[in-house]
Amino acid sequence: MITVKTKDKSILSSYLQSNKEIIDGYLLRLSGIPGNIPHTLYNSMHYSLAAGGKRIRPILAIASCEAVGGRIEDVIPAAVAIEMIHTYSLIHDDLPSMDNDDLRRGKPANHKVFGEATAILAGDGLLTMAFEILSGADNVEANKHADRRLRIIHEIAAAAGPEGMVGGQQLDMENEGTIMDIRELEELHRRKTGALILAAIRAGGISGGATETQLQALTDYGAKTGLAFQIADDILDVEGIEQEVGKSLGKDARQNKSTYPAITGLAESKILAEKLINEALAALDSFDDKANHLRMIAGYIIARNS
């Protein structure tokens, strides 16, 4: 049974909303100047950035930074960069040559509004802009902790690249219509979804000056929550409400994709997600109350409806 108390829901809701507003503000401020970017490309990039979303990855980075005694200013460049990379991945994931989705976050997918070519370039623009922000001389903490910033850049690049998210997308496409075993499915999800979530949590810890012991605990937490997040997504594709989830549902079954519900069944998938979250919470046992937001987010990950 998940040990996060339901009475903390209002605290978590306020925390998620206030940090979402902070991230949204920084995204608007750091995502380019209209006159410096071709008009259509700028609009395409901002269309997807402003389409909504929970901002879970950057908020996890903030919560991880706070858990080790860091300040939000320490982690903003990493948090914003991670959200840009996540948004780019959604734009490309929706393309006809990939998952071929018409709906994202309750709105028409980027390529349905701006065309496939511009959607590809918008994704490319967000990916490269993320590293411009991470490495730029004008970011919030530019003149402090250059060693931490370099380590964070490496962490995020590795998570987003061919050994992480991009590789996971390749595995996902290659295995459409096949029956994967549970180990193969876990590896796919570890790359496609889990890698960037884990990078957000580790980047937050590094930004806040985590010790190696603390960072290992955050890594354990991140690995468990990353997989639980994807299992929850698999479950939502089966029993979610499209208006709440904000994207087309039932596609996994129609495309004969291997998912946790397809392989282990819906009930067993829910049990596994809860087990992973309890293991994630146990990884934080050595942390004090500064990690409470991380603890609450863990429970939210599998209780969410979108």
Side-chain angles (χ1 to χ4, degrees):
M1 181 177 176
I2 294 173
T3 56
V4 176
K5 296 178 181 178
T6 55
K7 69 183 179 67
D8 293 333
K9 284 183 179 178
S10 61
I11 298 172
L12 177 62
S13 178
S14 176
Y15 181 80
L16 294 175
Q17 182 59 34
S18 62
N19 280 292
K20 180 183 182 302
E21 290 172 3
I22 290 170
I23 293 299
D24 286 346
Y26 275 103
L27 282 169
L28 181 63
R29 181 148 60 90
L30 297 176
S31 55
I33 299 169
N36 293 347
I37 300 172
H39 180 72
T40 302
L41 179 60
Y42 178 89
N43 286 343
S44 179
M45 291 165 62
H46 278 257
Y47 174 82
S48 290
L49 280 177
K54 299 173 288 296
R55 311 301 193 204
I56 283 294
R57 290 156 187 80
I59 293 173
L60 278 167
I62 291 169
S64 297
C65 183
E66 293 172 344
V68 299
R71 306 169 303 153
I72 191 169
E73 293 85 356
D74 298 324
V75 72
I76 282 297
V80 170
I82 286 167
E83 186 63 17
M84 285 184 171
I85 292 170
H86 175 56
T87 302
Y88 122 74
S89 76
L90 299 181
I91 294 172
H92 283 194
D93 196 46
D94 290 339
L95 290 168
S97 57
M98 301 282 247
D99 272 5
N100 194 22
D101 267 316
D102 292 343
L103 194 66
R104 173 64 66 178
R105 292 172 170 169
K107 298 180 180 180
N110 192 293
H111 69 275
K112 301 298 292 185
V113 178
F114 296 95
E116 290 181 45
T118 296
I120 291 169
L121 291 174
D124 293 344
L126 288 170
L127 173 61
T128 48
M129 184 172 281
F131 289 98
E132 181 181 352
I133 289 168
L134 282 169
S135 60
D138 58 347
N139 74 37
V140 177
E141 293 293 292
N143 297 315
K144 297 181 182 178
H145 307 302
D147 56 334
R148 292 182 192 174
R149 291 203 296 136
L150 183 60
R151 188 176 183 184
I152 289 166
I153 290 169
H154 177 80
E155 292 267 348
I156 294 174
E163 294 183 6
M165 183 179 69
V166 172
Q169 180 66 30
Q170 181 67 36
L171 291 175
D172 192 29
M173 293 188 301
E174 288 179 353
N175 284 283
E176 279 189 17
T178 69
I179 300 174
M180 303 176 71
D181 64 37
I182 201 70
R183 289 183 182 179
E184 291 171 327
L185 184 61
E186 182 175 333
E187 176 66 11
L188 188 159
H189 286 335
R190 183 186 68 79
R191 292 174 184 266
K192 185 178 179 184
T193 302
L196 200 59
I197 289 175
L198 178 55
I201 292 162
R202 282 180 58 86
I206 295 166
S207 296
T211 66
E212 288 304 316
T213 299
Q214 288 175 319
L215 192 58
Q216 183 55 58
L218 290 173
T219 300
D220 293 342
Y221 168 90
K224 301 296 185 182
T225 53
L227 183 56
F229 189 97
Q230 182 57 56
I231 295 172
D233 268 6
D234 286 354
I235 293 168
L236 282 172
D237 192 68
V238 175
E239 62 178 19
I241 299 171
E242 189 166 300
Q243 289 83 354
E244 293 179 350
V245 177
K247 61 181 180 180
S248 302
L249 300 180
K251 288 198 67 179
D252 291 340
R254 291 194 297 273
Q255 294 177 346
N256 293 316
K257 284 191 175 185
S258 290
T259 65
Y260 275 87
I263 292 174
T264 68
L266 197 57
E268 188 63 32
S269 297
K270 292 178 180 179
I271 291 170
L272 177 57
E274 187 168 311
K275 176 177 180 289
L276 286 164
I277 290 304
N278 280 316
E279 290 173 353
L281 292 172
L284 299 179
D285 281 349
S286 62
F287 286 79
D288 61 18
D289 289 350
K290 291 194 292 291
N292 279 349
H293 288 126
L294 277 181
R295 295 183 177 103
M296 286 187 279
I297 292 171
Y300 165 78
I301 277 173
I302 60 170
R304 62 197 166 90
N305 58 7
S306 64

